C-alpha cells in the first residue's frame, strides 16, 4: 500500500502538552486526544465495520476511542437506528471486536451505555415506553405514550445499568460511561424539570432530581471502578425552553458530583446545539458554557468544540479549560489528526468543515459518511484506509477534466497511487461548486475541501494542473496525441436548471420575460439583484436558505416558497433546519411552506397549496429557481460517440464522475472521485456486490 502521508517527524515542543498521558481512575490515556462517543449507524448491525472504523482512529493516535451509545435493555430499543446493543451475553462478542481493534494500537476503549427512556422507540421490542414521568415522546410522532417509572422500575434500571457495566468490563472496555446528556438519556430526563414532574424522592428540587444520577455513578464505581475509569457525560446547559436545565443548575450538578466520576465529559443539549454546523458555530464555541467545570472538580475534563487547530487545542489545555481534547466530527474528517500533529504534518490535516453530513447518516439510518474523508465508513466493507492506497498497477496516464471536488479528489488519489495525472480546469481557479458556495453566508469553512486537496496535489510531482483550459472534443483528442494519456475522466460538474424542473415539476414551469429569471449559479457568480425576489426552493437542502439569507443581507425583499412543510427541510438531517428557519425569520424573509410555483406571467407568480390546491398570487421583480441540476456531460457524450477516433488516439476508457454523472452532495462528489481512483485499472465485476457484507449469525 502507498502511504498518503509524507512522514517527516520533527521536534515541535509547542504541541508536547497534547501528548502527555492522562490518568483516568485506574487507567491511563497515552495522550490528551479523546474521541468522544458518536453515532455512525453501524452499531450492532455492522459490528465488523464498527470495529474497523474505531480501530483506524486508534491507529491515528486518539488516546481514547469511544463507542456510540449502547442500549442496555430491550426497553430502550431505538430501532430503526443502528446503535450499539448490550442486552445480554449474546451481544458481547460483537463489541469485543471494537475493543480488540482499539487495543491493538494501545488506546483506551470507552463505552457509552445508556437507557433512552421516552426517547426510545421500542418498535422492535414492542415493550411500552417507560420514562421519568408520564408523557408523550417528543422526537417522533409514534402514537404512543410513556408510563411513569415506579420505584421498582427505577430499581430494575439500576440493575440493568450495573449488569451492562460489568459485561462491558468483562469485554475489555477501559472506560464505562454514565450518560446524562443530549436530552436523549433517562438520567438527563430525571435531571430536567422539563421532563421530571415527580413528587417523590426523585423529583422536585435539584438534589432529588440528581439522586438517580448519583446512585448510578455509585453503582458503576462499585461494580467496575477497580478496573475501569468512570466517565460522566453531562450536558451542563439545556436549550430546550422553559424548565430545561439552566446554566446555574448545571453548575450545581457539577458541584454536587464533583469528584464522583474519574473524568467529566461535558457538553450542552440538545444534540443540535452540541453539534452545530460551521454555518452557526465556530471552533471552540462551547467554551463559555463548560469552562467552569475544571474550576470545581479535581478530575480531568474533556469537552468538544469541533477542534481542528492544534494551536486552539494547546490553548484550551494551557488556559485550564480542558484536560483532554474531545472530538467527534474532527476525528471523522481525519482519524489521523493526532498523529499528524505529533509528526509536525499540520498541512496534511483534513480539517472538518462542519457541514454535518456525518450526522445525516444517523438521522437517515444509513452508514456514516464524511465530506472531507471519503474512506469514513468504508474501512471494513471496502478495506479503505484514510492514509494508505494501493500503488499503481500500470503506467497508464489520466486526463481529469474539471477541478471541482470530484476532479480534485480523483487527481489527488490517482497521483498518490503513482499515476501521471493531467488536471484541466476551465476557470482560473480550482474548486468548482465549492469555490463558489464557500463565498455564501456561513459556508467559508467549506473552502477547506479545496485547500486540503490542492495542498496535497502540490506535493506530487506526477500531477500537472492547467487552468483556463476549457476543452472541447477535438482539443481533448489533440491533447491525447500530444500528452499520451490513455484514460479520460470527465468531472465537469453540473449547472442549476433554469426551467424549474425538479421534484414537483417534471416539465418546465411556464415563465414569461416579465421578471428576471435566475439560478443559484448566477447569484454565486455575482449577478446583481434588487427589489423583490421570489425564491422557489424545490431542492430542500441548504441552497435555498443560504441564497435567501445572502439576498436579504444585500437589501432585497425576499419571499421563499417551498412545497415542503419546512424551509430547507432536508437539513433536519444535519441538525440545521431550526437554526436556518430562525435566521430567515430574523431577516424578515417571508416564508411560504407547502406551496409550489405553478407559473409566472406579467410579474405575477401563481403558487398553489400542495394539499388543498388553493391558488395564491404574488408580485415580484426577480425569480430564483432552486430545483434540479443538469450534469455538464456534453463533452463526455461527444467523446463516446466517436469511439473509432478515441481508440486511434490511444484512449482506453472515458468515464464521468461526481455531479457530471449524477448531481448530489459535495460528499458524494468526493466519494465518486475517490472510488474512481481506488478502482482504477482494477478488475471490477459489475455483477458482484462491490463491498463486503455482514450477516447476522443464524
Amino acid at each position: 500500500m502507498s502511504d498518503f502521508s509524507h512522514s517527516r517527524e520533527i521536534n515541535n515542543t509547542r504541541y508536547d502538552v497534547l501528548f502527555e498521558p492522562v490518568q483516568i481512575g485506574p487507567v491511563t490515556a497515552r495522550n490528551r486526544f479523546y474521541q468522544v462517543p458518536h453515532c455512525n449507524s453501524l452499531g450492532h448491525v455492522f459490528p465488523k465495520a464498527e470495529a474497523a472504523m474505531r480501530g483506524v482512529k486508534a491507529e491515528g493516535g486518539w488516546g481514547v476511542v469511544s463507542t456510540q451509545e449502547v442500549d442496555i435493555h430491550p426497553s430502550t430499543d431505538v430501532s430503526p437506528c443502528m446503535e450499539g446493543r448490550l442486552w445480554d451475553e449474546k451481544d458481547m462478542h460483537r463489541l469485543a471486536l471494537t475493543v480488540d481493534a482499539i487495543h491493538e494500537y494501545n488506546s483506551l476503549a470507552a463505552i457509552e451505555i445508556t437507557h433512552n427512556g421516552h426517547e426510545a422507540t421500542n418498535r422492535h421490542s414492542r415493550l411500552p415506553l417507560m420514562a421519568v414521568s408520564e408523557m408523550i415522546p417528543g422526537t417522533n410522532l409514534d402514537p404512543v405514550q410513556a408510563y411513569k417509572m415506579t420505584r421498582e422500575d427505577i430499581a430494575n434500571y439500576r440493575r440493568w445499568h450495573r449488569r451492562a457495566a460489568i459485561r462491558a468490563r468483562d469485554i475489555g472496555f477501559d472506560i464505562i460511561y454514565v450518560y446524562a446528556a443530549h436530552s436523549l438519556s433517562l438520567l438527563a430526563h430525571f435531571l430536567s424539570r422539563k421532563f421530571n414532574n415527580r413528587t417523590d424522592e426523585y423529583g422536585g428540587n435539584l438534589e432529588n432530581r440528581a439522586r438517580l444520577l448519583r446512585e448510578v455513578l455509585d453503582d458503576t464505581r462499585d461494580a467496575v471502578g477497580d478496573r475501569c475509569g468512570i466517565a460522566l457525560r453531562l450536558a451542563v446547559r439545556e436549550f430546550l425552553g422553559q424548565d430545561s436545565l439552566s446554566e446555574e443548575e448545571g453548575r450545581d450538578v457539577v458541584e454536587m458530583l464533583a469528584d464522583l466520576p474519574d473524568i467529566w465529559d461535558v457538553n450542552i443539549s440538545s444534540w443540535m446545539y452540541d453539534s452545530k454546523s460551521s454555518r452557526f458555530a465556530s471552533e471552540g464555541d462551547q467554551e463559555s458554557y463548560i469552562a467552569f467545570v475544571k474550576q470545581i472538580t479535581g478530575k480531568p475534563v474533556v469537552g468538544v468544540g469541533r477542534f481542528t487547530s492544534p494551536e486552539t487545542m494547546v490553548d484550551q489545555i494551557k488556559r485550564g479549560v480542558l484536560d483532554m481534547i474531545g472530538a467527534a466530527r474532527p476525528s471523522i474528517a481525519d482519524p489521523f489528526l493526532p498523529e499528524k500533529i505529533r509528526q509536525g504534518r499540520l498541512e496534511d490535516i483534513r480539517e472538518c468543515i462542519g457541514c454535518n453530513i456525518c450526522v445525516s447518516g444517523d438521522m437517515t439510518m444509513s452508514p456514516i459518511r464524511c465530506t472531507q474523508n471519503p474512506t469514513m465508513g468504508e474501512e471494513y466493507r471496502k478495506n479503505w484506509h484514510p492514509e494508505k492506497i494501493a500503488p499503481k498497477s500500470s503506467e497508464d496516464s489520466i486526463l481529469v477534466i474539471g477541478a471541482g471536488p470530484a476532479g480534485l479528489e480523483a487527481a489527488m488519489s490517482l497521483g498518490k497511487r503513482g499515476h501521471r495525472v493531467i488536471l484541466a480546469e476551465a476557470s482560473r481557479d480550482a474548486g468548482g461548486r465549492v469555490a463558489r458556495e464557500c463565498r455564501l453566508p456561513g459556508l467559508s469553512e467549506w473552502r477547506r475541501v479545496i485547500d486540503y486537496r490542492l495542498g496535497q496535489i502540490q506535493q506530487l510531482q506526477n500531477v500537472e494542473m492547467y487552468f483556463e483550459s476549457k476543452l472541447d472534443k477535438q482539443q481533448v483528442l489533440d491533447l491525447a496525441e500530444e500528452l499520451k494519456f490513455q484514460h479520460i475522466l470527465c468531472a465537469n460538474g453540473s449547472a442549476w436548471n433554469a426551467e424549474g424542473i425538479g421534484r414537483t415539476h417534471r416539465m418546465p414551469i411556464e415563465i414569461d420575460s416579465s421578471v428576471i429569471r435566475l439560478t443559484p449559479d448566477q447569484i454565486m457568480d455575482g449577478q446583481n439583484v434588487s427589489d423583490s425576489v421570489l425564491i422557489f426552493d424545490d431542492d430542500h437542502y441548504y441552497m435555498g436558505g443560504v441564497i435567501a439569507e445572502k439576498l436579504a443581507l444585500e437589501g432585497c425583499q425576499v419571499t421563499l416558497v417551498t412545497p415542503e412543510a419546512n424551509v430547507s427541510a432536508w437539513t433536519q438531517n444535519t441538525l440545521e433546519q431550526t437554526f436556518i428557519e430562525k435566521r430567515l425569520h430574523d431577516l424578515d424573509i417571508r416564508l411560504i411552506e407547502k406551496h409550489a410555483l405553478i407559473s409566472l406571467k406579467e410579474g405575477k407568480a401563481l403558487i398553489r397549496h400542495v394539499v388543498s390546491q388553493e391558488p395564491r398570487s404574488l408580485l415580484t421583480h426577480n425569480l430564483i429557481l432552486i430545483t434540479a441540476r443538469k450534469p455538464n456531460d456534453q463533452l463526455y457524450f461527444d467523446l463516446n460517440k466517436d469511439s473509432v477516433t478515441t481508440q486511434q488516439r490511444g484512449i482506453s476508457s472515458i468515464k464521468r464522475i461526481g455531479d457530471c454523472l449524477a448531481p448530489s452532495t459535495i460528499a458524494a462528489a468526493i466519494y465518486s472521485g475517490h472510488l474512481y481512483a481506488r478502482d482504477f485499472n482494477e478488475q471490477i465485476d459489475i455483477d458482484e456486490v462491490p463491498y463486503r457484507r455482514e450477516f447476522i449469525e443464524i
Side-chain angles (χ1 to χ4, degrees):
M1 299 287 280
S2 296
D3 196 327
F4 273 26
S5 68
H6 303 275
S7 183
R8 47 188 180 279
E9 185 169 350
I10 61 175
N11 182 22
N12 193 337
T13 58
R14 184 187 315 172
Y15 306 125
D16 283 355
V17 67
L18 299 175
F19 297 92
E20 295 172 347
V22 178
Q23 191 75 25
I24 304 173
V27 298
T28 303
R30 59 185 167 116
N31 58 37
R32 296 184 186 272
F33 291 95
Y34 194 118
Q35 183 248 280
V36 297
H38 73 76
C39 299
N40 58 13
S41 277
L42 298 173
H44 71 279
V45 180
F46 303 110
K48 294 178 182 178
E50 169 86 23
M53 185 271 283
R54 306 291 181 188
V56 163
K57 294 189 182 187
E59 181 187 357
W62 296 89
V64 178
V65 179
S66 308
T67 67
Q68 59 198 317
E69 66 173 47
V70 176
D71 304 335
I72 62 174
H73 188 265
S75 62
T76 183
D77 163 36
V78 293
S79 298
C81 294
M82 293 174 281
E83 316 293 5
R85 275 186 184 168
L86 190 47
W87 292 0
D88 58 25
E89 291 81 0
K90 296 181 181 67
D91 293 310
M92 294 174 69
H93 71 285
R94 292 183 175 87
L95 288 163
L97 297 173
T98 293
V99 171
D100 292 344
I102 295 169
H103 282 172
E104 182 179 351
Y105 297 98
N106 198 32
S107 296
L108 298 181
I111 181 171
E112 184 180 72
I113 55 175
T114 187
H115 194 293
N116 292 85
H118 68 264
E119 292 289 351
T121 63
N122 292 356
R123 292 169 181 163
H124 176 72
S125 70
R126 300 184 70 176
L127 294 175
L129 294 177
M130 68 178 193
V132 56
S133 306
E134 185 179 285
M135 70 181 71
I136 299 175
T139 56
N140 69 68
L141 299 179
D142 289 0
V144 299
Q145 289 186 213
Y147 68 87
K148 177 181 176 180
M149 294 172 68
T150 63
R151 288 184 177 85
E152 180 182 2
D153 293 321
I154 291 173
N156 288 339
Y157 161 68
R158 290 178 61 184
R159 187 175 69 256
W160 299 336
H161 195 282
R162 180 187 180 95
R163 184 179 61 181
I166 292 171
R167 286 175 179 152
R169 177 202 63 191
D170 293 345
I171 293 167
F173 282 100
D174 307 288
I175 298 172
I176 312 297
Y177 263 84
V178 175
Y179 182 37
H182 296 135
S183 301
L184 295 173
S185 67
L186 187 59
L187 292 173
H189 302 154
F190 268 82
L191 279 176
S192 179
R193 286 177 288 118
K194 185 177 182 67
F195 303 114
N196 186 342
N197 60 18
R198 303 176 72 95
T199 57
D200 60 8
E201 68 270 29
Y202 290 100
N205 62 48
L206 183 60
E207 185 175 356
N208 281 355
R209 286 182 277 125
R211 186 183 305 277
L212 183 58
L213 177 55
R214 181 188 291 273
E215 290 173 344
V216 172
L217 278 167
D218 289 340
D219 291 344
T220 308
R221 180 166 301 286
D222 178 67
V224 301
D226 59 329
R227 284 175 43 191
C228 303
I230 310 301
L232 172 54
R233 198 175 201 191
L234 177 73
V236 297
R237 170 80 184 273
E238 284 184 327
F239 290 87
L240 298 175
Q242 187 176 6
D243 294 331
S244 62
L245 193 74
S246 67
E247 197 167 354
E248 293 75 18
E249 285 187 320
R251 174 182 282 270
D252 290 342
V253 173
V254 177
E255 289 176 344
M256 285 180 194
L257 309 174
D259 294 321
L260 286 186
D262 295 314
I263 186 169
W264 285 86
D265 179 348
V266 288
N267 56 28
I268 55 179
S269 285
S270 63
W271 188 16
M272 73 176 188
Y273 285 93
D274 185 31
S275 296
K276 280 186 180 180
S277 70
S278 58
R279 186 172 170 187
F280 299 100
S282 58
E283 183 178 20
D285 186 59
Q286 293 193 27
E287 179 178 339
S288 62
Y289 301 108
I290 59 91
F292 75 89
V293 179
K294 264 192 66 62
Q295 301 168 17
I296 295 173
T297 179
K299 300 301 178 71
V301 177
V302 60
V304 296
R306 202 169 50 81
F307 298 115
T308 59
S309 164
E311 302 292 345
T312 302
M313 298 175 193
V314 169
D315 181 63
Q316 292 276 308
I317 302 300
K318 290 189 172 180
R319 287 193 295 109
V321 179
L322 298 172
D323 295 291
M324 302 192 78
I325 302 300
R329 292 171 291 176
S331 75
I332 294 166
D334 198 334
F336 274 69
L337 187 151
E339 188 64 11
K340 289 175 181 177
I341 296 174
R342 188 184 70 82
Q343 294 181 0
R345 295 167 42 219
L346 306 189
E347 69 275 18
D348 292 335
I349 294 173
R350 276 189 305 273
E351 293 184 282
C352 173
I353 69 170
C355 66
N356 280 8
I357 203 72
C358 55
V359 175
S360 75
D362 191 58
M363 300 296 285
T364 59
M365 281 73 77
S366 53
I368 191 170
R369 61 211 60 205
C370 175
T371 296
Q372 280 283 62
N373 176 13
T375 70
M376 177 50 52
E378 302 289 3
E379 298 86 354
Y380 170 77
R381 70 176 193 169
K382 282 188 173 290
N383 198 29
W384 286 1
H385 189 284
E387 302 298 316
K388 298 175 184 177
I389 193 168
K392 64 181 181 181
S393 57
S394 74
E395 295 301 319
D396 287 2
S397 299
I398 308 98
L399 170 68
V400 178
I401 305 172
L408 285 173
E409 177 66 33
M412 178 191 73
S413 300
L414 287 165
K416 289 183 175 182
R417 291 193 64 184
H419 287 284
R420 174 173 170 255
V421 180
I422 301 100
L423 178 58
E425 166 58 37
S427 68
R428 61 175 58 181
D429 298 301
R433 60 179 286 194
V434 178
R436 307 161 91 191
E437 292 182 19
C438 72
R439 296 194 294 267
L440 294 170
L443 304 186
S444 60
E445 290 193 37
W446 293 22
R447 173 77 201 183
R448 293 173 174 181
V449 170
I450 306 169
D451 292 343
Y452 169 73
R453 285 159 183 82
L454 281 180
Q456 296 296 294
I457 288 171
Q458 287 166 3
Q459 299 176 35
L460 300 170
Q461 300 299 314
N462 51 321
V463 180
E464 309 162 43
M465 296 185 66
Y466 298 92
F467 295 102
E468 298 184 279
S469 300
K470 184 175 176 61
L471 301 176
D472 59 23
K473 170 189 161 184
Q474 190 56 52
Q475 290 170 322
V476 170
L477 295 175
D478 291 344
L479 283 174
E481 196 167 40
E482 176 186 350
L483 299 178
K484 307 301 182 186
F485 50 79
Q486 294 77 41
H487 303 270
I488 300 171
L489 182 61
C490 294
N492 305 75
S494 64
W496 287 94
N497 185 285
E499 298 179 312
I501 296 172
R503 284 183 171 83
T504 300
H505 300 288
R506 302 300 176 177
M507 298 295 288
I509 299 174
E510 185 179 0
I511 303 169
D512 67 16
S513 59
S514 61
V515 297
I516 299 173
R517 185 197 316 191
L518 302 168
T519 69
D521 291 323
Q522 293 161 297
I523 300 298
M524 290 186 286
D525 286 343
Q527 172 77 41
N528 184 49
V529 180
S530 60
D531 299 320
S532 59
V533 178
L534 174 63
I535 297 174
F536 178 55
D537 181 12
D538 203 19
D539 173 62
H540 313 305
Y541 194 13
Y542 57 86
M543 187 58 72
V546 79
I547 291 290
E549 180 179 346
K550 172 181 169 61
L551 295 179
L553 290 170
E554 293 173 356
C556 295
Q557 296 175 320
V558 181
T559 299
L560 190 152
V561 174
T562 178
E564 284 295 310
N566 297 296
V567 297
S568 301
W570 197 83
T571 62
Q572 294 179 65
N573 296 312
T574 56
L575 307 180
E576 297 176 285
Q577 197 281 326
T578 299
F579 299 117
I580 291 171
E581 186 159 344
K582 183 179 186 307
R583 179 160 294 177
L584 300 185
H585 274 295
D586 290 345
L587 291 169
D588 291 325
I589 294 169
R590 185 183 183 190
L591 305 177
I592 303 178
E593 294 99 345
K594 290 189 177 180
H595 281 76
L597 175 64
I598 303 303
S599 64
L600 201 158
K601 301 176 184 178
E602 299 178 355
K604 184 182 296 185
L606 175 66
I607 64 173
R608 184 172 291 155
H609 194 279
V610 296
V611 178
S612 70
Q613 298 298 301
E614 181 180 351
R616 294 173 61 182
S617 294
L618 301 172
L619 296 176
T620 188
H621 294 92
N622 303 275
L623 172 65
I624 300 175
L625 294 166
I626 305 178
T627 51
R629 285 176 283 155
K630 179 171 174 48
N632 297 325
D633 54 13
Q634 189 59 53
L635 178 58
Y636 168 80
F637 285 109
D638 287 346
L639 289 166
N640 272 283
K641 285 178 184 176
D642 196 355
S643 58
V644 174
T645 305
T646 54
Q647 290 174 10
Q648 289 174 347
R649 301 294 171 94
I651 304 300
S652 301
S653 71
I654 305 168
K655 302 289 185 182
R656 53 181 170 150
I657 59 170
D659 287 354
C660 181
L661 173 63
S664 185
T665 62
I666 298 169
I670 290 172
Y671 183 89
S672 179
H674 195 79
L675 178 64
Y676 176 88
R678 292 268 184 176
D679 287 352
F680 181 72
N681 270 358
E682 301 296 324
Q683 294 296 319
I684 306 297
D685 187 343
I686 62 172
D687 293 326
E688 296 294 325
V689 176
Y691 49 81
R692 288 188 290 180
R693 293 189 289 170
E694 299 184 52
F695 297 94
I696 297 175
E697 300 87 347
I698 303 299

